[in-house]
Amino acid sequence: MKKLINAPADVLAEALLGVEAAHPDLRVDHQNRVIFRGDAPRAGKVGLVSGGGSGHEPLHGGFVGPGMLDAAACGEVFTSPVPDQILAATRGVDGGAGVLHIVKNYTGDVMNFEMAAELADTEVVAVVTDDDVAVQDSLYTVGRRGVGVTVLVEKIAGAAAESGRSLSEVADVARKVNAQGRSMGLALTSCTVPAAGSPTFDLPEDQIEVGIGIHGEPGRTRVPLAPASEMAQMLVDPILDDHEFTGGDGVLAFVNGMGGSPLIELYLMYHEVNRLLGKAGITVARSLVGSYITSLDMAGCSVTLLKLDDELLRLWDAPVRTSALRWGA
Amino acid sequence: MKKLINAPADVLAEALLGVEAAHPDLRVDHQNRVIFRGDAPRAGKVGLVSGGGSGHEPLHGGFVGPGMLDAAACGEVFTSPVPDQILAATRGVDGGAGVLHIVKNYTGDVMNFEMAAELADTEVVAVVTDDDVAVQDSLYTVGRRGVGVTVLVEKIAGAAAESGRSLSEVADVARKVNAQGRSMGLALTSCTVPAAGSPTFDLPEDQIEVGIGIHGEPGRTRVPLAPASEMAQMLVDPILDDHEFTGGDGVLAFVNGMGGSPLIELYLMYHEVNRLLGKAGITVARSLVGSYITSLDMAGCSVTLLKLDDELLRLWDAPVRTSALRWGA
């Protein structure tokens, strides 16, 4: 295992020291491993909390800031944060208008966020993302896994909260994004969890794993390594089979890198995805290309499509100021 | 070789189609492989052109936009753009106030930018970056190589040009950034050039290459894999030995990923670098953490320090709107 780390057990704690040093507009609670907006809690604003295992950076800490999350609770690598961490995040963002939990659908995450919500002395609503069309149940999940759409939920619900909407309104828009979004990913290589020290799974040099989860959970199938045009089809087809994306105000097309794939390849994949959507009569109104929800050093990518409407477009375009997504502010 | 590509010969052309599709505010000249600001040329504004081999994304195309570059000429992977490409870029950004070429110090780049400048029918000034303290001469370079400081030159000179300064003033500030910046990098793994199909060099599982170039050129030395704290020292010490960074208005500290290293590790390295700078009595006034000048899928990182003054601070903080760096606009 070759990594830019000291002891595997210290990776998260030391990375959080780096986040704090690099971003003076954030506040890091090192004891609870929570990254806060520097000005949290904001009186009268719905607080947005997300979190989950680390190793998916910039998700979620890179999305803390005005127009997006108020706090991110950081579990150990690929490990759910414990209820105490989520509770500390919830309390720290409670400005009197209630708190929204944005939770990726993994059994541990869902359970720990629920326990924290019960312990909180404010109104909490949870929205669980489950956009991965690859598999129904999985290694850590009952139902579909929450993946790329989580980034879009955090941005769009974040804009809704920033504009002063109520907790139930912000939760509604978050649910709408999840309902109208679908994702699918593939891996060219495994990732290596620091504490394990060796690759999570074996993938022969001539094969790819289609429908991979963001922790290296098995996907739908292993197939021979293929050209990008065919790999794009392996991701786009199951998404289009699962949901109707034509008409309306078009889609947001998001090509996400898994961490180890260079940006030049992600743009090439975006070209292939965009071409396939055009052939399917789908209008791409917005796009996002980059490594935003990753699996440590895994090579590969995922595609997320979100069906847009007027409201979602406006909220997507609204100003955001975080370390990983920033515009208009 | 496992990559998200079709034929190796088509990587750049297809990635540029993706860039065009993803960024409606840019214009791509596919024949010349130049990425332009959509509104180039801007009358009365000094035009900024950079470029070089591809495979270092987001450098340079990701830095095209208001407040930074007007155009980027994209060579094949790790191959200088030819003079015709650079000439097309230069002509396309000529708003009557002259054009600045920002050139990383590699023999091919320097020569081809010089030839393009001679062919141009406008005034052209070139600033060559050579911030890499690792080695004096190298595989593709006479003198020091241009690496991480190039990102900072493009940002700061871009702000100067945007504010209406003259060509000689913009060139002066670009030279100042290069003169006050130093970098050093290390590799945990090689990268794989698509056209080659196999890793550029062999690096045993228990060794790292210190002082690596961004094309996998040999560095200063190979040493056993070490903890992040020691790796940070291997990068920071030679930089501090080479230039005085104490006093004044502090430094900008930039921890850059080589492409294959996940963000959580870069933040951990930033913590180590920040700690070492504190011990050396150096004040960090600004920071940048992420993969901004990469070597395809190479794992590793580089550190760049820039000594700041009032003028550089103001220009660094000025609004910028590109796909890879964006704030205040």
Side-chain angles (χ1 to χ4, degrees):
Chain A
M1 175 178 62
K2 295 176 103 171
K3 290 184 181 290
L4 301 164
I5 63 173
N6 295 302
D10 298 332
V11 169
L12 174 59
E14 292 174 351
L16 286 174
L17 288 167
V19 168
E20 177 178 51
H23 303 296
D25 48 343
L26 299 176
R27 186 163 47 80
V28 178
D29 172 348
H30 292 284
Q31 195 191 325
N32 289 300
R33 296 180 179 174
V34 177
I35 300 173
F36 286 102
R37 262 176 80 156
D39 60 357
R42 302 270 295 174
K45 180 186 156 311
V46 172
L48 259 66
V49 172
S50 192
S54 294
H56 307 300
E57 289 69 24
L59 188 86
H60 299 271
F63 301 132
V64 174
M68 217 159 161
L69 298 178
D70 295 276
C74 309
E76 287 295 330
V77 172
F78 293 180
T79 303
S80 297
V82 298
D84 275 357
Q85 294 182 264
I86 304 164
L87 183 60
T90 304
R91 287 187 172 145
V93 308
D94 178 13
V99 175
L100 183 73
H101 284 177
I102 300 172
V103 189
K104 300 191 300 301
N105 189 33
Y106 298 96
T107 304
D109 287 21
V110 171
M111 192 176 67
N112 290 350
F113 270 90
E114 272 175 10
M115 286 178 63
E118 280 168 24
L119 296 168
D121 33 24
T122 186
E123 192 186 357
V124 175
V125 173
V127 171
V128 178
T129 59
D130 59 352
D131 53 308
D132 189 345
V133 303
V135 291
Q136 187 53 33
D137 296 334
S138 181
L139 203 53
Y140 310 113
T141 323
V142 177
R144 286 180 166 180
R145 300 176 296 219
V147 287
V149 90
T150 314
V151 177
L152 313 182
V153 168
E154 292 177 3
K155 168 66 186 81
I156 289 173
E162 205 73 39
S163 76
R165 294 199 199 180
S166 71
L167 178 57
S168 69
E169 290 169 330
V170 175
D172 281 347
V173 81
R175 281 189 207 101
K176 182 163 83 171
V177 174
N178 183 58
Q180 297 189 180
R182 296 290 188 280
S183 300
M184 176 107 167
L186 65 78
L188 302 182
T189 69
S190 177
C191 52
T192 298
V193 175
S198 57
T200 304
F201 58 94
D202 287 317
L203 192 54
E205 187 55 30
D206 58 350
Q207 288 189 22
I208 61 175
E209 176 95 23
V210 181
I212 191 82
I214 56 171
H215 313 92
E217 309 96 301
R220 280 191 180 187
T221 175
R222 285 190 177 188
V223 300
L225 179 64
S229 59
E230 291 173 28
M231 289 193 278
Q233 195 135 25
M234 294 176 203
L235 300 182
V236 170
D237 281 356
I239 290 174
L240 298 188
D241 286 348
D242 199 81
H243 194 72
E244 178 60 54
F245 283 99
T246 54
D249 293 294
V251 302
L252 187 161
F254 171 23
V255 169
N256 173 64
M258 290 297 195
S261 281
L263 192 55
I264 191 169
E265 296 179 27
L266 302 182
Y267 275 110
L268 194 155
M269 282 299 289
Y270 181 74
H271 160 61
E272 296 293 353
V273 168
N274 185 58
R275 198 177 49 75
L276 291 170
L277 297 177
K279 273 173 63 178
I282 294 166
T283 307
V284 178
R286 294 292 183 276
S287 66
L288 186 65
V289 181
S291 295
Y292 292 102
I293 167 171
T294 62
S295 304
L296 293 168
D297 51 351
M298 182 186 284
C301 69
S302 62
V303 172
T304 298
L305 296 185
L306 169 64
K307 188 163 188 181
L308 292 165
D309 59 24
D310 230 32
E311 179 189 37
L312 299 188
L313 261 171
R314 228 177 21 248
L315 293 168
W316 176 258
D317 289 342
V320 60
R321 199 169 81 227
T322 69
S323 65
L325 268 194
R326 187 161 176 168
W327 55 73
Chain B
M1 175 179 60
K2 296 177 103 172
K3 290 182 181 290
L4 301 164
I5 63 172
N6 295 301
D10 298 332
V11 169
L12 174 58
E14 292 174 351
L16 286 175
L17 288 167
V19 168
E20 177 178 52
H23 302 296
D25 49 341
L26 299 176
R27 186 164 48 79
V28 178
D29 172 348
H30 292 285
Q31 195 191 325
N32 288 301
R33 296 180 178 173
V34 178
I35 300 173
F36 286 102
R37 264 177 79 157
D39 60 357
R42 302 269 296 174
K45 179 186 156 313
V46 172
L48 258 65
V49 172
S50 192
S54 294
H56 307 300
E57 290 70 22
L59 187 87
H60 300 273
F63 301 132
V64 174
M68 216 161 162
L69 298 178
D70 294 276
C74 309
E76 288 295 331
V77 171
F78 292 0
T79 303
S80 297
V82 298
D84 275 357
Q85 294 182 266
I86 303 164
L87 183 60
T90 304
R91 287 187 172 146
V93 307
D94 177 13
V99 174
L100 182 74
H101 284 177
I102 299 172
V103 189
K104 301 190 299 302
N105 190 32
Y106 299 96
T107 304
D109 287 21
V110 170
M111 192 177 67
N112 290 349
F113 270 90
E114 272 176 9
M115 288 177 63
E118 280 168 24
L119 295 167
D121 34 23
T122 187
E123 192 185 357
V124 174
V125 173
V127 171
V128 178
T129 59
D130 58 353
D131 53 308
D132 189 344
V133 303
V135 290
Q136 187 52 32
D137 297 336
S138 181
L139 204 52
Y140 309 114
T141 322
V142 177
R144 286 180 167 181
R145 301 175 294 219
V147 288
V149 90
T150 314
V151 177
L152 312 183
V153 169
E154 293 178 4
K155 168 65 185 83
I156 289 172
E162 205 73 38
S163 76
R165 295 200 200 179
S166 70
L167 178 57
S168 70
E169 290 169 331
V170 175
D172 281 346
V173 82
R175 281 189 207 101
K176 181 162 84 171
V177 174
N178 183 60
Q180 296 188 180
R182 296 290 188 280
S183 299
M184 176 107 167
L186 65 79
L188 303 182
T189 69
S190 177
C191 53
T192 297
V193 176
S198 56
T200 303
F201 58 94
D202 288 316
L203 192 55
E205 186 55 32
D206 59 349
Q207 288 190 21
I208 60 175
E209 175 96 21
V210 181
I212 192 81
I214 56 172
H215 313 93
E217 308 96 301
R220 282 190 179 190
T221 175
R222 285 190 176 186
V223 299
L225 179 64
S229 58
E230 291 174 28
M231 290 193 279
Q233 196 135 25
M234 293 175 203
L235 300 182
V236 170
D237 281 355
I239 291 174
L240 298 189
D241 285 346
D242 199 82
H243 194 72
E244 178 60 55
F245 284 98
T246 53
D249 293 296
V251 303
L252 187 159
F254 171 24
V255 169
N256 173 64
M258 290 297 197
S261 281
L263 192 54
I264 191 169
E265 296 179 27
L266 301 181
Y267 275 110
L268 193 155
M269 281 299 289
Y270 181 75
H271 160 61
E272 296 293 353
V273 168
N274 185 58
R275 197 177 49 75
L276 290 171
L277 296 177
K279 273 173 61 178
I282 294 167
T283 306
V284 178
R286 294 293 183 276
S287 66
L288 186 66
V289 181
S291 295
Y292 292 101
I293 167 170
T294 63
S295 304
L296 294 168
D297 51 351
M298 183 187 283
C301 69
S302 62
V303 171
T304 299
L305 296 186
L306 170 64
K307 188 161 188 185
L308 293 165
D309 59 24
D310 229 32
E311 178 189 37
L312 299 187
L313 262 171
R314 229 178 20 250
L315 293 168
W316 176 256
D317 288 342
V320 60
R321 198 169 82 230
T322 70
S323 66
L325 268 195
R326 187 162 174 165
W327 55 74

